[in-house]
Amino acid sequence: MKIETLSLTNFRNYSSLKVGFDDGINVITGKNAQGKTNLLEAVSYLTSAKSFRGASDKELIEFGKTETRLEAEIFSDGRSQKLDLEFGLIRRKKIMVNEVRQKSAAGLSGKLTAVLFSPEDLSIIQSSPLFRRRLLDNCLCQIRPRYAECLTEYRRLYDSKTKILRDGDKRMLPLLEEYNERMCENGSIILHYRAHLVKILSEIAGEIHKDFSGETEKLTLSYQTVKTVENPLKKPLEILPILRKHMDAHRDAELASARCLSGIHKDDVLISINDRDSRKFASQGQARTAAISLKLAEREIIKRDSGEYPILLLDDVLSELDGGRQDYILNRIGNGQVMITCCEDKSIAEKAGGRVLLVHQGSIQSEENSYVY
C-alpha cells in the first residue's frame, strides 16, 4: 500500500501542491512552521476524513479561501486507485473513491490505511480514556467498515440523547427508549471489536516493547467496560442484553444528572508496565516507549489483516529518542511506505535513508525534480 501522488488545493498552508513519494522511506524536513505536519495530516485525512489533530474541517481550509480539495493516486489491494475529497465553509463534504461518490467516511475504510505517531500520542499512556479509545477507533475504522458505520451511528445517537437529557423537554423523553436500544445494539458490536483488538494489541505490543526496552519491561493491555460485562470477548448478541440492562438501571440517574451515564463511550483500556498502571507510575521515557510500541503493533495488525503494510507516519518522533532507539525503530520499518518529519537534522535523514523532501512555506523541494510536479 502506498501513495503514488498527492495533490492539495487550499489545504492548510498548501495553496497548490502535487508531489510524488518514494515507495520506501520519505524524510520530510525543514524549519518549524513550514507545513511538515500539515502534509502528514493530509495523508491521514485521506484514511478517515478526519484530522488527527482534532481540527474541524473548516480549520483545514487555507486562510482566506472557502473550499479545499485533497486528491491521491494510490496503490492498494493490488491495483491503482484514486481518492478525491472536497469540502468548504458552506459546502458539504464530498468523498469519491475511484470516481464513485461515497455515502459517508465509512466508504474510505480499507482503501488507504495509515498509522501515525506524534508527540501528542503520549496521551495514550498518561491521559484520559478518550485517547485510548481513539487509538482503537482509528485502527478499526480503517479495516472494518461495519465498525466505522456502527461508531458513526453511536456518536449520532449519543449526541441526540445528550441534547434531550440536557434540554429536559418532556415531549422528547419518550424517544429515549428507542435511542437507548439502538445505542446498545451498536455498542455491543463496538465493544466486541474493541475487546478483540486489545487482546491482539497486548500480545504484539508486549513483544515489541520487550525488545524495545532491552527485555527489562513487560507491557500488557486489558479492555475495561461496564462491570456487568464479565467477558467482553463474547459475541455482540450475548453482550447486548447486558448493556441493555445496565442502561435501564441508570435511567433515573441520567434524567437527574442530564448526562449519558451508561454506554461504551465511557470504556477504557488499562495499560500496565511491569504490572503497574502506566497512568500513575510510567516515566516519560517509559510512556514514549510504550506509545511507540502500540503504534508499531497497530501497523503489524493492519498488515496481518489486509496483507499490506499501512503507511507509517512519524511526526517529529525520532529526534526525541537516543541513537539506539532510533536504530530500533528504523530497523523495524524496512517494509512499506514511511513518512518521517524532522527539523533540519541531517543525521536523522542520513540514518533513515530514502528520499529527502524539503518543505518551505507550503511548497516542497526534492533532490529529484520528477517527484514534485
Side-chain angles (χ1 to χ4, degrees), residues 143-196:
I143 60 178
R144 292 289 180 268
R146 187 187 184 197
Y147 183 90
E149 292 170 357
C150 288
L151 186 64
T152 298
E153 176 70 1
Y154 186 92
R155 287 171 172 168
R156 188 185 67 79
L157 292 165
Y158 172 83
D159 289 341
S160 297
K161 178 180 175 180
T162 298
K163 186 176 186 305
I164 292 174
L165 290 171
R166 186 179 60 244
D167 293 348
D169 189 341
K170 294 183 178 180
R171 296 172 298 176
M172 302 296 289
L173 292 181
L175 292 176
L176 289 180
E177 185 175 348
E178 178 185 352
Y179 287 154
N180 285 348
E181 179 63 20
R182 291 166 63 191
M183 286 177 70
C184 288
E185 290 172 355
N186 286 281
S188 64
I189 296 170
I190 293 168
L191 193 160
H192 171 80
Y193 276 118
R194 283 179 177 174
H196 279 271

Side-chain angles (χ1 to χ4, degrees), residues 93-234:
K93 189 180 298 180
K94 180 181 179 182
I95 301 174
M96 304 286 288
V97 176
N98 299 324
E99 300 183 353
V100 177
R101 186 160 188 172
Q102 305 299 301
K103 294 181 180 179
S104 68
L108 292 170
S109 182
K111 300 299 184 296
L112 181 70
T113 57
V115 172
L116 178 137
F117 184 86
S118 67
E120 288 73 23
D121 284 322
L122 290 178
S123 299
I124 295 172
I125 309 300
Q126 298 178 316
S127 194
S128 74
L130 170 66
F131 296 95
R132 291 179 284 281
R133 291 194 300 268
R134 186 178 294 168
L135 169 73
L136 306 181
D137 293 342
N138 287 344
C139 179
L140 287 167
C141 282
Q142 293 189 75
I143 60 178
R144 292 289 180 268
R146 187 187 184 197
Y147 183 90
E149 292 170 357
C150 288
L151 186 64
T152 298
E153 176 70 1
Y154 186 92
R155 287 171 172 168
R156 188 185 67 79
L157 292 165
Y158 172 83
D159 289 341
S160 297
K161 178 180 175 180
T162 298
K163 186 176 186 305
I164 292 174
L165 290 171
R166 186 179 60 244
D167 293 348
D169 189 341
K170 294 183 178 180
R171 296 172 298 176
M172 302 296 289
L173 292 181
L175 292 176
L176 289 180
E177 185 175 348
E178 178 185 352
Y179 287 154
N180 285 348
E181 179 63 20
R182 291 166 63 191
M183 286 177 70
C184 288
E185 290 172 355
N186 286 281
S188 64
I189 296 170
I190 293 168
L191 193 160
H192 171 80
Y193 276 118
R194 283 179 177 174
H196 279 271
L197 176 59
V198 168
K199 181 176 183 294
I200 300 171
L201 267 176
S202 186
E203 296 169 359
I204 300 176
E207 287 299 317
I208 293 173
H209 188 84
K210 180 180 177 181
D211 292 341
F212 205 178
S213 64
E215 300 192 0
T216 62
E217 295 177 358
K218 180 180 71 172
L219 176 71
T220 56
L221 291 79
S222 61
Y223 192 71
Q224 297 183 314
T225 184
V226 297
K227 293 181 179 179
T228 50
V229 178
E230 296 180 358
N231 182 8
L233 297 173
K234 286 185 175 182

Side-chain angles (χ1 to χ4, degrees), residues 133 154 158 183 194 247 260-267:
R133 291 194 300 268
Y154 186 92
Y158 172 83
M183 286 177 70
R194 283 179 177 174
M247 192 168 285
C260 293
L261 301 177
S262 177
I264 53 90
H265 55 277
K266 298 174 69 67
D267 291 359

Side-chain angles (χ1 to χ4, degrees), residues 8-17 31-39 41 53 59-63 65 68 359-364:
L8 303 176
T9 304
N10 302 334
F11 183 87
R12 291 288 195 181
N13 68 328
Y14 290 96
S15 297
S16 179
L17 172 74
K31 296 180 180 179
N32 290 328
Q34 301 301 303
K36 301 187 300 294
T37 300
N38 292 346
L39 196 63
E41 184 178 28
R53 292 156 139 175
E59 293 175 291
L60 303 180
I61 301 173
E62 185 182 13
F63 183 75
K65 302 298 174 62
T68 189
V359 177
H360 179 68
Q361 295 182 354
S363 64
I364 295 181

Side-chain angles (χ1 to χ4, degrees), residues 66-85:
T66 59
E67 295 184 336
T68 189
R69 184 174 185 177
L70 302 87
E71 302 172 87
E73 295 175 352
I74 68 173
F75 189 84
S76 173
D77 196 24
R79 62 193 178 99
S80 295
Q81 302 194 59
K82 184 177 180 180
L83 307 179
D84 189 346
L85 281 72

